[in-house]
Amino acid sequence: MGAQQGHEGKRRKLSKLKKTDTVVPCVPSSLCPCCGDSHIAINQKPSYRHQVHEIPEPIVNITEYQVFHGRCQNCQTSVKGKRPQDTPQGIMGPNLMSYIALLAGQFHLSVRKIQELLKLQLGTSFSTGAISEAQGKVSSMLTPLHQAVRDAIQKAPMVHIDETSHIRNGESSLRWCWLMSSDDWVYERVLFSRSTHSAKVMLNEKFAGVVISDQCASYNWLNPEKHQFCLGHLKRNLQQMADYSGGGLTAFIGKRLTLLINMIFRTQHCYEEENISAEIYFRRMKRLRKSLTRWLHKGADVTTSRYSGRCKFILKHEVSLWVFLTAPLTIPLTNNEAERRLRGSVIMRKISFGTSSDRGDKFRGRIHTLVETCKKRSMSPFIALQQIVNAVVKKQPYPDIFNLCSG
């Protein structure tokens, strides 16, 4: 048993010691076990280091502000002490509020689960109303950041955009959670509908960059020469046609179309891995585009209205299939980036269910904007949120954690 012959072993790297860490020197006995002599020369550096990681016992520090009254002995005027100016308004400090917000926004815990965790981990009890109020406060503190990210992403040269349903407790109709992702930022917001108006609210009608999305009709107002359809969605749609239970010509054409889409992906990967030259790449793509168009025309004439309509729709937006050819190493073929960033909201919807107020909608959009942008930039969401909440509570200048003001 064990590693196979020739396998290069992997070991955990030793962590850098901090001032608060403990070092236990393990020196040999003062007597030699062989001859019993007491002259043992000990090395200056340890020959082996073994590190044990442990977490400190979690506690909650309570700061009590005791306000005293007094009375002037001369004129009998009553006077009252004042709390420091940076005293938090409420029973939770900035670090605890940040922790509660991240438990929901990054780890997808419901309010009741957060309540149970705080009691189990820290031995402190808060009502569900107090936890919800803390999330609302954090949401308000994130407003400037949320708006700044929106303004920045609307000026980006390329944006991925996607949407998913959002449940509002007590309402029969669904709301929609929208998300945009660029190279530097992620912006999320809950809106009333999945309409063209909502898409324009997210992107801005004057958006000049390239948009990668699915085939939702909400994006039909975009310039087709700057609107790249997700070919991953297209492949799934055509695979349904290939798997048509009726078989016959419909399934045959679906299989041909699916094969052509796979060849497009294969050619793209070969070019990205530098296995083919740019000349060969564009020649192959030109040939594939011609073949795909020809088979889509054949698919538009099949008797199955569902699949003939799908082929007609793709032909109508054929330009949007090939926008990536204008910058083949920059514009991706799929909208996987937006779908991955939206995954946190989908998980939260399934675990924590819906929201019950506009405050809850805003909290989810703003906390996910912070979390996903931090992930994209390899930053700690907790440290970033701590900086913002501490600055607002202590009435300090709002921190520019993403360098939005300097960009």
Side-chain angles (χ1 to χ4, degrees), residues 236-247:
R236 290 196 289 270
N237 291 339
L238 294 176
Q239 187 62 53
Q240 293 175 358
M241 185 176 179
D243 297 336
Y244 175 55
S245 58

Side-chain angles (χ1 to χ4, degrees), residues 215 236-246 250 299-314:
Q215 302 161 40
R236 290 196 289 270
N237 291 339
L238 294 176
Q239 187 62 53
Q240 293 175 358
M241 185 176 179
D243 297 336
Y244 175 55
S245 58
T250 300
D301 294 331
V302 299
T303 56
T304 311
S305 60
R306 177 183 179 183
Y307 298 117
S308 64
R310 185 168 295 175
C311 291
K312 290 175 182 176
F313 175 84
I314 297 172

Side-chain angles (χ1 to χ4, degrees), residues 2-225:
Q4 296 182 4
Q5 187 176 3
H7 175 75
E8 184 180 352
K10 300 288 185 181
R11 293 192 177 187
R12 179 185 178 90
K13 293 182 179 180
L14 293 172
S15 301
K16 186 177 180 180
L17 296 177
K18 306 183 295 297
K19 291 182 179 180
T20 55
D21 293 329
T22 303
V23 176
V24 180
C26 302
V27 297
S29 173
S30 59
L31 296 178
C32 176
C34 178
C35 65
D37 190 86
S38 61
H39 295 87
I40 303 293
I42 300 176
N43 297 335
Q44 294 297 318
K45 294 183 178 180
S47 54
Y48 175 74
R49 295 170 63 195
H50 173 67
Q51 293 184 342
V52 177
H53 296 255
E54 181 61 288
I55 60 173
E57 183 178 350
I59 59 171
V60 173
N61 294 321
I62 300 175
T63 302
E64 180 177 298
Y65 297 88
Q66 298 181 345
V67 179
F68 291 87
H69 282 71
R71 184 175 296 278
C72 177
Q73 297 300 307
N74 182 38
C75 63
Q76 301 301 310
T77 300
S78 178
V79 292
K80 178 182 177 183
K82 293 182 179 180
R83 292 180 297 173
Q85 196 172 12
D86 59 355
T87 304
Q89 298 297 319
I91 60 174
M92 297 185 191
N95 292 339
L96 181 57
M97 286 196 291
S98 302
Y99 183 55
I100 287 173
L102 261 296
L103 287 176
Q106 186 173 6
F107 302 103
H108 320 302
L109 296 186
S110 65
V111 171
R112 292 197 180 277
K113 288 290 184 183
I114 294 173
Q115 183 187 42
E116 293 177 12
L117 179 62
L118 293 177
K119 187 173 183 179
L120 178 67
Q121 183 185 36
L122 304 176
T124 184
S125 297
F126 294 102
S127 66
T128 55
I131 294 172
S132 177
E133 183 182 0
Q135 292 177 349
K137 290 181 178 179
V138 172
S139 175
S140 298
M141 296 175 187
L142 290 175
T143 301
L145 175 73
H146 195 244
Q147 293 174 346
V149 170
R150 177 202 60 197
D151 294 342
I153 206 169
Q154 287 179 346
K155 298 175 184 177
M158 184 180 70
V159 163
H160 293 260
I161 186 168
D162 200 8
E163 69 289 328
T164 187
S165 57
H166 174 77
I167 301 172
R168 184 71 175 267
N169 299 330
E171 295 184 4
S172 57
S173 59
L174 291 173
R175 299 196 181 193
W176 292 85
C177 180
W178 288 75
L179 179 138
M180 294 191 298
S181 177
S182 69
D183 290 339
D184 299 306
W185 303 287
V186 178
Y187 175 76
E188 186 175 310
R189 184 177 176 183
V190 175
L191 295 174
F192 283 94
S193 69
R194 196 189 186 190
S195 63
T196 299
H197 172 73
S198 296
K200 290 181 178 180
V201 168
M202 290 292 291
L203 284 165
N204 190 348
E205 288 189 60
K206 299 179 180 179
F207 184 76
V210 174
V211 177
I212 300 100
S213 75
D214 54 23
Q215 302 161 40
C216 180
S218 304
Y219 310 112
N220 287 349
W221 57 276
L222 292 167
N223 179 0
E225 295 182 354

